[in-house]
Amino acid sequence: LAKTTQPISMDSYEGQEVNITCSHNNIATNDYITWYQQFPSQGPRFIIQGYKTKVTNEVASLFIPADRKSSTLSLPRVSLSDTAVYYCLVGDAILTGGGNKLTFGTGTQLKVEL
Amino acid sequence: NAGVTQTPKFQVLKTGQSMTLQCAQDMNHNSMYWYRQDPGMGLRLIYYSASEGTTDKGEVPNGYNVSRLNKREFSLRLESAAPSQTSVYFCASSDRSNPSGTEAFFGQGTRLTVV
């Protein structure tokens, strides 16, 4: 599985846009990029997933450049409730027969203040 | 729809005791996982099961055993608990039909303390 590198922490203020970048230099052709969010004392929650270019849902956007060696999670107009740890995962299920190891790194601790 | 259910939510064990953490999912997912998360750390994969009848080691399997009882249930057993196994344990499941298989659903966790 491709190794990922993210900033350990980020600080922001309410109403700002936050961009968290993840580096995955050895991403494979079949790999997808997935982001999870984790609040204290809870299990991680799926946010968004993409393969290339841009993906947007009601929560976030995911930008993936053409070489796919990095990706950026964009959270528009954050609020205090967006304070959480954000994990970037890269992996593929097809080649492993459906069982993706889902290896998490240490994630990025986002702190949003007033 | 309950999703992923873990039992118990809290547990205190004495060193050397054994216990089994239970996990069940009602989403008909093929893959299931067990993670541990130590304070201030990310999740580390203990074991996973790509499909019913198969299990494989993750990053930190030592001291643990697992059983994929059926498609719904995946249990984690500590045969002889040690203080180093004090952690929060998360169970998760994912669907192979998803192209990447990486959209996983997590339980609420089991807080285990070994004294």
Side-chain angles (χ1 to χ4, degrees):
Chain A
L1 291 173
K3 179 180 170 60
T4 60
T5 303
Q6 307 173 230
I8 293 175
S9 64
M10 295 182 69
D11 294 327
S12 184
Y13 294 96
E14 276 202 316
Q16 290 189 333
E17 178 184 77
V18 171
N19 296 308
I20 306 174
T21 297
C22 179
S23 172
H24 29 80
N25 291 320
N26 59 339
I27 190 169
T29 302
N30 291 326
D31 285 344
Y32 280 70
I33 299 154
T34 311
W35 286 80
Y36 285 81
Q37 175 191 56
Q38 186 182 26
F39 297 113
S41 302
Q42 295 185 24
R45 182 175 72 105
F46 172 89
I47 302 175
I48 196 166
Q49 181 179 81
Y51 184 79
K52 62 181 179 180
T53 63
K54 177 184 175 182
V55 179
T56 298
N57 62 21
E58 65 278 5
V59 176
S61 294
L62 178 59
F63 298 92
I64 305 169
D67 66 6
R68 302 199 328 120
K69 293 184 184 299
S70 66
S71 59
T72 299
L73 175 72
S74 181
L75 305 171
R77 297 182 298 282
V78 295
S79 65
L80 293 175
S81 63
D82 292 315
T83 294
V85 178
Y86 292 82
Y87 295 96
C88 164
L89 277 73
V90 174
D92 158 62
I94 298 172
L95 292 180
T96 59
N100 192 308
K101 275 192 171 183
L102 287 186
T103 302
F104 285 74
T106 53
T108 297
Q109 171 67 63
L110 173 64
K111 182 179 179 182
V112 180
E113 300 176 285
L114 287 172
Chain B
N1 191 340
V4 178
T5 303
Q6 292 183 232
T7 54
K9 289 185 170 51
F10 302 91
Q11 183 71 50
V12 178
L13 289 178
K14 293 182 179 179
T15 297
Q17 285 186 318
S18 62
M19 81 161 293
T20 300
L21 281 64
Q22 306 287 352
C23 176
Q25 52 93 7
D26 61 5
M27 296 170 283
N28 201 37
H29 285 171
N30 289 295
S31 301
M32 297 186 73
Y33 313 82
W34 276 105
Y35 293 88
R36 62 176 288 175
Q37 186 171 36
D38 299 328
M41 304 287 287
L43 286 85
R44 291 186 291 172
L45 182 64
I46 305 171
Y47 272 93
Y48 73 107
S49 172
S51 60
E52 185 179 355
T54 68
T55 61
D56 285 286
K57 295 178 179 178
E59 304 169 74
V60 288
N62 291 342
Y64 305 95
N65 285 303
V66 291
S67 295
R68 184 73 183 267
L69 304 171
N70 48 55
K71 192 171 186 178
R72 290 187 64 249
E73 299 172 288
F74 188 39
S75 63
L76 178 72
R77 183 162 178 83
L78 286 71
E79 291 291 351
S80 178
S84 60
Q85 294 178 304
T86 293
S87 190
V88 179
Y89 291 84
F90 289 103
C91 176
S93 70
S94 68
D95 187 358
R96 184 167 57 188
S97 66
N98 181 294
S100 74
T102 53
E103 181 175 354
F105 296 81
F106 283 77
Q108 287 301 300
T110 296
R111 292 184 176 277
L112 176 66
T113 301
V114 183
V115 297

